[in-house]
Amino acid sequence: MSTTYNVIGTRPVRHDGADKVTGRALYGADLQLARMIQGAILRSPHAHARILRIDTSKAEALPGVYAVVTAADFPPAPADKIVDFGEGDTPLSSLRGNILASGKVLYSGHAVAAVAAVNAHVAAEAAALIEVDYEPLPCVLTAPEAMAPGAPILHEEFANGNVADQIRYEMGDLAAGFAQATLIVERELDTATVHQGYIEPQNATAFWSSDGRIHIWCSTQGSFVARDATAAVLDVPVSQVKVTPMEIGGGFGGKINVYLEPVAALLSKKAGRPVKLVMSRRDVFTGTGPTPGSRVRVKIGVNDAGKITAAQSWLAYEAGAYPGAMVVPGAMTVFACYDIENVLIEGFDVVVNKPSTAAYRAPGAPNSALATETVLDEIAEKLGIDPLELRLRNAAKEGTRRADGPRYKRIGCVEVLEAMKASPHYNAPLPGPHCGRGVAIGFWFNAGLPSSATLSVNADGTVNLIEGSTDIGGSRTSLSMQAAEVLGLRAEDIHPTVVDTDSVGYTGVTGGSRTTFSTGLAVHDAAQMVVEQMKARAARLWAVEAVEFANGVFSANGQSLTFAELAAQLGSTGGPVSCSATVNPKGVGGSIAGLIIDVKVDPETGKTDVLRVTSVQDAGKAIHPAYVEGQMQGGTAQGIGWALNEEYFMDNSGDMRNGSYLDYRMPTALDLPMIETVIVEVPNPGHPFGVRGVGEANIVPPLAACANAIYRATGKRLNRVPMNPATILGL
Amino acid sequence: MSAKVQVQTTINNEPVEFLCEPRQSLLECLRDVVGLTGTKEGCGDGNCGSCTVKLGDRIVTSCLVLGVEANGESITTVEGLAHGNTLHPLQKAFLEHAALQCGICTPGFLIAADALLQKHPQPTEEQTRFWLANNLCRCTGYDKIIRAVQAAATEITTTKSNGAAQ
Amino acid sequence: MKAFDYAAPASLPEAVGLLASQPSARLLAGGTDLLVQLRSGRKEADVVIDVKKIPELNEITFSPETGLTVGAAVPCYRLTAHAAVQTHYPALVEVASWIGGTQIQGRASLGGNLCNSAPSADSIPLLIALGATALVAGPSGRRTIPVEEFCTAPGRNQLAPGELLVSLHIPAPAPHSGASYLRFIPRNEMDIAVVGAGASVTLTDGVITAARIALSSVAPTPLFVPAAGEALLNQAPTPAALEAAAQIAQEAASPISDMRGTAAYRRHLCAVMTRRALELAVARAQENN
């Protein structure tokens, strides 16, 4: 494959752009169906309590109410049933338990019952009429407290109290490695629970038809996962459920799990009408999955040459109410940027009385990178080595083995560090007093997972692309561009449509930075099949054996036809051409990202102003550079918010006191400068165009980069994120 | 439920009458009663700006306006920005500068930015960021949005001065 | 949100009559507090009375002799665009452009900010510093309340049943006077003051002859600290004098810890923000001939 491209690397306008700037694009909450009614969810005010009684009779009696459901409305199923959506096993009891509580509520905001009524106002009034008797239980809100002897136990059936899972990665000889060190630094850092903060609240509309089919329209990162999870929860065959993914208003990992879909379906079954459920912002904060708070210890030893001789980490992540804290990826990535011989990593998945956590952009990695990258900053300072130089001396390379097993193929760690070092930003002086510059890097695996695509050639020479990847930030276009590159067309000659689960082959979530990589590969393969079939048509037309195809032109023996000219003759050469591909790629390429950030800290108030930011990331190959930059800028902004101000502020009873955008304090336009970007391209050998995936690695460095910048500005090494003004002043 | 009230408005330059309960927000009326779902709800308490519409001579978060308050008022929503099939310069700039990812905040940003450019035809970056601080975007880090607004400002003033010169 | 009726009286007597006959009525001006409170269930209403159709509540008038009168329902965006307000009350323009964001300012009013009576209200410390008074109308007529006496507890105030706020009056600025309000927020916009400080200063021949200081978010109500202003009288505005006043303000504060800040942090900020507000007020007084 040639490395000069016609379409890849350009910046065409997105295919869904006009719809999205004119208000025509239909998001889940925009759906209006005939006879549709609306629902409301009743949530627990207690962080931990036994449910003694639920009386729904007053709600059912309210005029305008069509249906009320509780966990008792789930069909019977074996308690120990395990469901698998291709990305890990989940006990059905956890899945159901989080959707509608049964027996106990495990966090404030836990859904207990749901109502469907003539409109959302009446539904909310009815929900308030449901009587629930609780027996409040003591709650536990942090991992260290939940691991301590005598802590309140969330799940009595667990063997190890609140520790749901433990992992251990070991390689080399840790003691010998530390013995070789001339400097050892050990630090412990905590991070608070934070939310993805997507602007569109979760929503789902369901219609359970009299023929048994369940149709769901929702805001999801993965229509097939939503289908499979809903089918599992409702104990119906997957083929009975059809999910139509609506446009999605952000997800960042938070819209993979199902919350509303099965509830809307149960309500619809009872009411005999389509039922729409839309979360309030407070519901989103308290009733969906934030990403874990954590405590991470990192101990690193280096020799005089600045080479790491040993590294050790202990990680405890808060899973929330049900197991599944992102401690495994946290542990796998804690030292993933570095070539280290002697390593020990221990991780603990700990349940606490907070919302059950979910993925958030490189889930688990920012928490652990914070510890590693601040310890390295301290080491660099103590050794008198430039912090990027220290990292370069230890950077992971092709062949480096990670403690959890795999050896890297090509990896862009050195290239990212070199680009950071060479950037104008890194070489510019700081603007004045109370300013500091911090750097950090981070790794994310990216994902493969199955994807499907169908290409159909139109007689006018354009091509329809049917795919199943929710378009969360321009993937219709990044996929179309890959088809166009193979077919010798322009991006605008491809007409992409994201379709429902009945209309395309299985496709995994838009997550794991995988869509441009994996669905891109399916599109690439389908496009190559189209080329082969078109060549055969040309061969038939010209009665030749072999046809060449280059730059959109078919040729043989001095004859030639453009793609469009040949497309016009398909009818007379055997009929339409339509090709499908389903892939399950193994050649995933991990991505390294780095951040340089300058801050100014007001010594009197502790307030941090972000002055200048440069995000650097290995994209493998940037298909649409503007969208790659956008991912880098977005991940950086989220990481800065996480570092400086965002947190779940819980009172002692486990109630979230800041469950609104006013007090959750995500960055506004006035809180950030322009975010400079440097795209590094170290091609992934596992993808025909070299794509790695760029959605996630960019959020890994900001926590540590901010911490290092604040240290350089104030002389204080903080042991807690968010590093908000009061924390910086120690007040 | 209390009795529904008749509300007469002008929406996107067209007379629109609708019936609503007093407790229904203008946002709910636009979306669920009038059927203009381009205006989005992100928070319901005025802090995300997704539901921004122009009401009379200023912009508001329509989640914090009652539908009944709109009686006699003129409203512009994202559906009213383009002239027929010709996109507004802001809409074009948002596309050309990749200023949206998921697009849910875009309608609010467009309406807010349009009001900004009417007040400050060539806003500085600081003015733009201050004006748009009531609009949250979680995807972009704002960089490309600010650039798009600045590009649209230049486009609009250039077009105007060219028009005046002719 | 519970169902309610809506009324939009066109005159003050009509509004007072309605209010008096409807004990569970709530007054609606910009709605930026009320609608949030109704939706979250923190407040309830059988009737919402929209006061924006009452002419007197919608007027801004200024005269160099008597000063500024702002109708209780005048939204911030009209206040910040008013030429006389821009010229004579720059601190008021700043506060009105900091309450919420642009869209909130399209609705929110100083009157609403006062009647909501939050300890964190941004405009109240400045109004106190400026010596503002509130004109109130009710079944038994009209009365005037100094703004520093208006709030009585979080969300509570001096308004008796049936009374409503008509307007705020701010005296004409004295020669060589300056005022300011500064708040500390972790973000740069769209945030609630962790601590705010309002100050006004009048200089005569380089000596402070009048000063008023008030704080937000450090007590159950916006807090007027007369002693802090009095400490500045007959002093040159030296750093030491301003710092001494700031210390008095800090001592008067009784902040609590919540999700927006700890008591210790708030106490610390009291002195910082008061000193900075005084510095700005002094600078303005020195420029204001």
Side-chain angles (χ1 to χ4, degrees):
Chain A
M1 175 66 61
S2 156
T3 49
T4 57
Y5 299 114
N6 295 318
V7 180
I8 287 171
T10 64
R11 300 173 180 234
V13 165
R14 60 195 286 167
H15 296 75
D16 53 341
D19 282 351
K20 284 185 174 159
V21 297
T22 56
R24 284 200 305 269
L26 285 178
Y27 294 74
D30 302 339
L31 187 72
Q32 299 286 352
L33 298 172
R35 302 178 73 240
M36 186 178 82
I37 56 176
Q38 298 199 38
I41 306 268
L42 178 70
R43 296 181 182 279
S44 167
H46 301 288
H48 195 189
R50 220 173 292 286
I51 300 172
L52 302 177
R53 182 185 70 104
I54 304 178
D55 182 348
T56 60
S57 55
K58 284 183 184 152
E60 282 157 7
L62 187 73
V65 170
Y66 286 82
V68 181
V69 298
T70 68
D73 291 286
F74 286 133
D80 55 352
K81 186 174 174 184
I82 301 289
V83 289
D84 175 14
F85 311 129
E87 290 161 61
D89 298 343
T90 310
L92 179 60
S93 56
S94 293
L95 199 60
R96 280 187 175 177
N98 195 38
I99 289 167
L100 283 172
S102 163
K104 283 210 298 188
V105 289
L106 297 172
Y107 55 97
S108 176
H110 201 157
V112 173
V115 181
V118 62
N119 63 43
H121 297 286
V122 175
E125 286 177 58
L129 292 174
I130 297 173
E131 293 170 4
V132 186
D133 289 346
Y134 296 101
E135 177 196 342
L137 301 169
C139 66
V140 61
L141 300 172
T142 68
E145 285 164 353
M147 295 170 82
I153 298 296
L154 275 76
H155 301 273
E156 284 85 1
E157 67 276 20
F158 285 7
N160 294 313
N162 293 318
V163 177
D165 196 12
Q166 299 184 33
I167 46 139
R168 183 184 170 95
Y169 302 123
E170 202 171 1
M171 83 183 163
D173 183 337
L174 194 74
F178 278 122
Q180 291 162 32
T182 51
L183 173 65
I184 295 173
V185 173
E186 181 173 11
R187 293 278 174 188
E188 180 176 273
L189 289 103
D190 291 351
T191 69
T193 303
V194 294
H195 199 271
Q196 301 84 358
Y198 38 80
I199 308 293
E200 179 208 29
Q202 265 86 352
N203 57 76
T205 303
F207 182 55
W208 196 317
S209 169
S210 49
D211 62 9
R213 289 273 284 171
I214 303 165
H215 192 168
I216 288 168
W217 299 259
C218 60
S219 174
T220 178
Q221 288 178 239
S223 51
F224 284 88
V225 169
R227 179 195 70 171
D228 295 358
T230 302
V233 168
L234 300 176
D235 200 25
V236 300
V238 290
S239 60
Q240 206 170 311
V241 181
K242 171 161 109 173
V243 171
T244 298
M246 304 296 286
E247 296 301 335
I248 178 170
F252 314 108
K255 288 186 184 161
I256 297 172
N257 299 344
V258 296
Y259 301 97
L260 300 175
E261 290 84 349
V263 180
L266 285 175
L267 287 168
S268 175
K269 188 181 189 186
K270 275 198 177 179
R273 288 167 175 252
V275 175
K276 176 154 81 176
L277 288 170
V278 181
M279 285 197 190
S280 69
R281 179 52 50 183
R282 184 167 173 84
D283 286 353
V284 173
F285 276 118
T286 63
T288 70
T291 218
S294 58
R295 170 164 293 177
V296 179
R297 271 199 303 274
V298 158
K299 179 179 173 185
I300 293 177
V302 292
N303 62 23
D304 289 336
K307 177 69 192 155
I308 299 172
T309 58
Q312 183 176 5
S313 181
W314 179 95
L315 311 93
Y317 282 31
E318 298 160 7
Y322 296 94
M326 303 296 164
V327 71
V328 173
M332 288 161 77
T333 55
V334 62
F335 301 128
C337 290
Y338 303 105
D339 188 89
I340 311 173
E341 247 176 73
N342 307 303
V343 180
L344 174 61
I345 302 166
E346 295 167 288
F348 299 85
D349 182 356
V350 186
V351 292
V352 297
N353 293 113
K354 288 185 186 176
S356 188
T357 54
Y360 177 19
R361 207 166 200 156
N367 312 47
S368 60
L370 168 68
T372 301
E373 294 293 303
T374 52
V375 165
L376 285 178
D377 195 63
E378 195 170 338
I379 288 172
E381 193 196 17
K382 287 185 169 155
L383 292 179
I385 301 177
D386 173 272
L388 292 178
E389 176 58 31
L390 175 71
R391 287 169 173 82
L392 271 169
R393 289 182 195 177
N394 295 284
K397 300 177 191 65
E398 187 165 352
T400 292
R401 197 188 141 200
R402 242 183 17 234
D404 55 301
R407 284 190 189 280
Y408 288 122
K409 295 176 187 146
R410 283 198 74 188
I411 187 88
C413 193
V414 169
E415 289 84 349
V416 164
L417 285 163
E418 295 285 6
M420 291 169 78
K421 247 179 127 174
S423 68
H425 181 175
Y426 198 64
N427 294 287
L430 278 168
H434 310 301
C435 293
R437 174 169 300 154
V439 296
I441 60 171
F443 168 83
W444 187 248
F445 317 91
N446 299 333
L449 304 177
S451 274
S452 304
T454 297
L455 292 172
S456 306
V457 181
N458 296 314
D460 61 4
T462 65
V463 174
N464 294 340
L465 163 59
I466 302 298
E467 43 116 351
S469 287
T470 310
D471 185 351
I472 214 162
S475 57
R476 284 182 180 89
T477 302
S478 69
L479 298 174
S480 295
M481 289 171 74
Q482 295 182 64
E485 189 67 49
V486 174
L487 298 173
L489 300 175
R490 302 169 305 166
E492 51 269 38
D493 295 328
I494 313 295
H495 302 298
T497 307
V498 181
V499 296
D500 64 70
T501 51
D502 282 4
S503 306
V504 66
Y506 189 96
T507 298
V509 295
T510 295
S513 304
R514 62 173 289 278
T515 301
T516 303
F517 167 76
S518 197
T519 310
L521 187 63
V523 169
H524 169 273
D525 289 0
Q528 286 210 317
M529 291 157 71
V530 168
V531 169
E532 290 310 311
Q533 291 203 17
M534 299 277 282
K535 276 184 180 174
R537 302 303 177 88
R540 182 185 300 189
L541 266 179
W542 295 327
V544 296
E545 287 285 310
V547 173
E548 295 283 302
F549 178 68
N551 295 320
V553 178
F554 296 90
S555 58
N557 296 345
Q559 303 178 91
S560 69
L561 284 171
T562 65
F563 188 94
E565 286 165 347
L566 183 56
Q569 299 187 47
L570 292 181
S572 57
T573 57
V577 168
S578 175
C579 300
S580 297
T582 294
V583 300
N584 194 8
K586 301 295 172 214
V588 179
S591 181
I592 300 275
L595 193 75
I596 309 166
I597 186 164
D598 294 354
V599 303
K600 181 172 188 176
V601 181
D602 183 331
E604 284 192 319
T605 64
K607 180 169 172 172
T608 298
D609 278 317
V610 179
L611 304 177
R612 186 172 181 182
V613 188
T614 300
S615 173
V616 182
Q617 188 171 349
D618 176 15
K621 178 67 196 171
I623 299 293
H624 192 304
Y627 297 160
V628 173
E629 292 160 6
Q631 290 298 318
M632 294 164 69
Q633 291 162 336
T636 298
Q638 287 183 316
I640 291 171
W642 190 344
L644 297 182
N645 281 311
E646 294 178 30
E647 68 176 311
Y648 272 47
F649 190 94
M650 318 288 282
D651 65 18
N652 291 335
S653 72
D655 185 33
M656 184 183 186
R657 302 296 297 168
N658 62 336
S660 75
Y661 276 150
L662 180 61
D663 285 314
Y664 181 74
R665 290 176 176 148
M666 293 178 355
T668 72
L670 199 58
D671 296 316
L672 294 168
M674 292 299 189
I675 299 170
E676 297 163 57
T677 54
V678 179
I679 300 174
V680 172
E681 293 185 322
V682 179
N684 170 22
H687 185 277
F689 299 125
V691 169
R692 288 182 184 272
V694 292
E696 293 166 289
N698 40 58
I699 202 175
V700 184
L703 274 62
C706 286
N708 293 337
I710 288 169
Y711 167 72
R712 306 273 167 172
T714 64
K716 291 181 187 173
R717 290 220 179 264
L718 305 178
N719 59 6
R720 177 181 182 273
V721 161
M723 296 167 283
N724 59 30
T727 304
I728 287 175
L729 292 191
L731 291 169
Chain B
M1 268 182 279
S2 63
K4 289 194 173 177
V5 180
Q6 185 175 23
V7 178
Q8 298 194 324
T9 61
T10 302
I11 303 179
N12 300 329
N13 293 319
E14 289 175 8
V16 177
E17 284 183 39
F18 60 85
L19 287 174
C20 69
E21 283 185 65
R23 66 174 161 182
Q24 289 184 284
S25 69
L26 175 59
L27 174 62
E28 191 182 342
C29 293
L30 288 170
R31 290 175 52 80
D32 293 354
V33 182
V34 181
L36 290 171
T37 57
T39 306
K40 305 303 181 190
E41 175 158 2
C43 70
D45 57 13
N47 285 294
C48 77
S50 302
C51 66
T52 301
V53 300
K54 191 172 179 194
L55 177 69
D57 63 349
R58 88 292 204 177
I59 52 171
V60 297
T61 45
S62 59
C63 71
L64 294 186
V65 179
L66 296 176
V68 289
E69 289 184 84
N71 193 35
E73 297 273 2
S74 169
I75 298 158
T76 306
T77 70
V78 69
E79 289 94 341
L81 264 190
H83 284 281
N85 275 336
T86 307
L87 293 180
H88 186 282
L90 276 163
Q91 292 171 314
K92 273 191 255 178
F94 267 57
L95 295 180
E96 283 160 10
H97 290 263
L100 56 139
Q101 286 180 32
C102 80
I104 198 85
C105 71
T106 307
F109 267 100
L110 288 168
I111 294 290
D114 181 46
L116 167 67
L117 298 189
Q118 282 169 25
K119 190 176 160 108
H120 303 290
Q122 286 281 16
T124 64
E125 182 186 334
E126 179 79 7
Q127 276 176 323
T128 307
R129 289 184 181 277
F130 186 73
W131 185 272
L132 295 177
N134 205 158
N135 292 81
L136 291 176
C137 170
R138 191 61 158 172
C139 294
T140 64
Y142 304 103
D143 182 297
K144 292 186 191 299
I145 293 175
I146 304 299
R147 290 180 201 279
V149 172
Q150 290 176 327
T154 305
E155 164 72 20
I156 292 167
T157 46
T158 310
T159 310
K160 270 191 188 150
S161 63
N162 288 349
Q166 286 160 9
Chain C
M1 190 170 3
K2 214 173 129 258
F4 52 75
D5 290 323
Y6 171 82
S11 73
L12 207 45
E14 197 189 332
V16 169
L18 252 176
L19 197 52
S21 69
Q22 297 277 0
S24 75
R26 297 281 178 185
L27 296 174
L28 170 70
T32 54
D33 288 313
L34 179 68
L35 296 184
V36 175
Q37 291 158 350
L38 290 174
R39 198 165 287 148
S40 69
R42 270 177 287 158
K43 281 187 182 170
E44 288 193 352
D46 287 333
V47 188
V48 165
I49 302 175
D50 185 349
V51 296
K52 292 190 293 297
K53 306 276 191 270
I54 305 169
E56 212 176 338
L57 271 71
N58 262 313
E59 291 165 3
I60 307 177
T61 56
F62 174 77
S63 94
E65 294 74 34
T66 59
L68 179 70
T69 302
V70 183
V74 170
C76 289
Y77 84 105
R78 280 184 54 209
L79 194 66
T80 56
H82 195 276
V85 178
Q86 290 172 347
T87 306
H88 301 289
Y89 303 93
L92 201 57
V93 172
E94 286 168 355
V95 159
S97 68
W98 292 342
I99 295 174
T102 311
Q103 287 88 317
I104 298 298
Q105 290 150 24
R107 296 270 292 169
S109 59
L110 296 187
N113 203 220
L114 182 60
C115 291
N116 190 52
S117 300
S120 58
D122 283 316
S123 69
I124 303 177
L126 178 65
L127 290 170
I128 294 172
L130 290 170
T133 53
L135 176 63
V136 165
S140 48
R142 297 184 171 210
R143 62 185 179 123
T144 296
I145 306 170
V147 169
E148 61 266 32
E149 294 170 17
F150 192 87
C151 302
T152 54
R156 298 191 179 278
N157 55 48
Q158 291 253 20
L159 289 177
E163 279 190 321
L164 63 85
L165 179 68
V166 178
S167 62
L168 292 159
H169 178 75
I170 304 170
H176 307 294
S177 69
S180 67
Y181 172 76
L182 293 176
R183 63 177 182 177
F184 180 79
I185 52 174
R187 292 193 287 191
N188 289 322
E189 250 288 357
M190 296 305 293
D191 222 331
I192 302 290
V194 180
V195 168
S200 71
V201 170
T202 304
L203 296 172
T204 307
D205 301 326
V207 170
I208 297 170
T209 49
R212 288 168 68 90
I213 292 164
L215 302 167
S216 57
S217 296
V218 300
T221 64
L223 183 67
F224 179 41
V225 191
E230 284 156 16
L232 288 166
L233 294 182
N234 303 315
Q235 302 217 37
T238 60
L242 302 190
E243 183 59 42
Q247 290 300 325
I248 294 171
Q250 183 181 47
E251 280 155 29
S254 53
I256 55 163
S257 292
D258 65 11
M259 74 271 195
R260 292 172 186 146
T262 61
Y265 182 53
R266 285 193 158 115
R267 209 169 290 119
H268 166 79
L269 285 177
C270 279
V272 175
M273 301 316 290
T274 303
R275 195 200 71 230
R276 289 182 179 183
L278 278 169
E279 287 167 355
L280 180 57
V282 166
R284 285 182 171 155
Q286 286 165 341
E287 286 165 19
N288 174 12
N289 298 311

